[in-house]
Amino acid sequence: MIGQDGGVPIPPLRRNPVQRRSAERLGRILDACAELLDEVSYEELSTRAVAERAGVPIGSVYRFFSNKRAMAEALAHRNLDEYAERITRRLAASGVSATSATSGVSVTSDAAGAGGGGWREAMDVVVDEYLAMKRGAPGFALIEFGHPVPATEPPEQPNHLVADRLRTLLADRLGGGRDEAAEERLRVAFLLAVETADALLRLAFRVDPEGDPAIVAETKELLRAYLARVLD
């Protein structure tokens, strides 16, 4: 998936896992990378330390990744996949319709249209699941959906990927029938909403390690008020 206006593509592996054993080894490598990022900075992270934590030869790491940057990119995209899956499960459990971000197949619901809480409830779930990952997912506090980039390198734009993914995921709740201009307005609105929420929720975690409840509540209110301009 490639985000518009500078969104970055999912990074290719040096070698894609074919057998289950290889896929499990890749999973252990990314798990080890995430665990270590809770203990050390990105600068201190090394492929050798990841290999040791994962219990695999160093050659296994380089079979998939050319360097730690590529490994961090893969972890960031796995985080985005997990985030989308968590949102889909929550919306399905609450009876709010969601569309699979990968398959485009409607997951559930009888609550189309104005029922089931609509897009406002869906946006609350989007924020809540981000908070849950921020508080508990290994390595997420540092990597999130885009790895740390040194100031000397051009910045990537992971929020473009997040905004595109969320628009696809919530397509059923956002309604349809828009012309090209309206669809473009929605795309821009979602990008701005994601960028704004990102900044405010970072502030919430600077104020309180668990995320300041007042700032979180105000962030949700701001998102509802802003997106209502294009969704109501």
Side-chain angles (χ1 to χ4, degrees):
M1 174 181 179
I2 300 178
Q4 298 185 45
D5 289 348
V8 293
I10 294 175
L13 299 173
R14 297 182 84 177
R15 178 179 300 178
N16 289 317
V18 177
Q19 299 179 341
R20 189 174 75 173
R21 180 179 177 183
S22 181
E24 289 173 349
R25 180 171 294 182
L26 173 60
R28 291 205 309 275
I29 291 170
L30 291 178
D31 289 344
C33 178
E35 291 171 5
L36 285 168
L37 285 170
D38 278 343
E39 303 169 11
V40 302
S41 68
Y42 174 74
E43 290 72 20
E44 295 172 316
L45 182 71
S46 70
T47 52
R48 184 168 299 280
V50 170
E52 291 175 356
R53 178 66 63 91
V56 301
I58 186 67
S60 293
V61 175
Y62 286 115
R63 183 173 294 114
F64 296 115
F65 307 109
S66 57
N67 50 41
K68 71 176 183 180
R69 179 188 176 94
M71 185 165 49
E73 287 177 343
L75 178 59
H77 284 282
R78 188 177 76 165
N79 285 343
L80 183 52
D81 286 341
E82 180 181 348
Y83 181 49
E85 290 168 3
R86 291 173 69 122
I87 292 169
T88 298
R89 288 195 298 269
R90 277 282 304 278
L91 296 183
S94 66
V96 180
S97 179
T99 299
S100 167
T102 54
S103 68
V105 176
S106 179
V107 177
T108 185
S109 128
D110 298 328
W119 66 264
R120 288 174 175 80
E121 180 180 336
M123 291 308 300
D124 284 352
V125 169
V126 164
V127 173
D128 290 342
E129 288 305 318
Y130 171 85
L131 295 174
M133 291 188 70
K134 188 79 169 176
R135 291 165 179 152
F140 187 81
L142 182 61
I143 293 293
E144 294 195 1
F145 307 120
H147 69 279
V149 178
T152 55
E153 299 186 24
E156 293 183 348
Q157 301 183 54
N159 281 341
H160 287 80
L161 284 177
V162 176
D164 285 350
R165 190 72 170 266
L166 289 176
R167 277 192 305 115
T168 302
L169 191 69
L170 303 178
D172 288 352
R173 303 313 301 167
L174 303 181
R178 297 181 187 85
D179 59 23
E180 186 175 340
E183 194 62 38
E184 175 63 10
R185 186 182 180 212
L186 178 62
R187 185 189 69 78
V188 172
F190 249 76
L191 177 59
L192 292 179
V194 168
E195 290 281 1
T196 301
D198 183 36
L200 291 175
L201 294 176
R202 287 178 187 274
L203 172 62
F205 279 91
R206 289 200 300 272
V207 172
D208 181 336
E210 290 298 309
D212 183 77
I215 295 176
V216 170
E218 289 299 310
T219 299
K220 290 181 177 181
E221 286 295 329
L222 185 149
L223 290 176
R224 294 189 198 106
Y226 175 66
L227 290 174
R229 297 165 59 250
V230 293
L231 293 176
D232 284 350

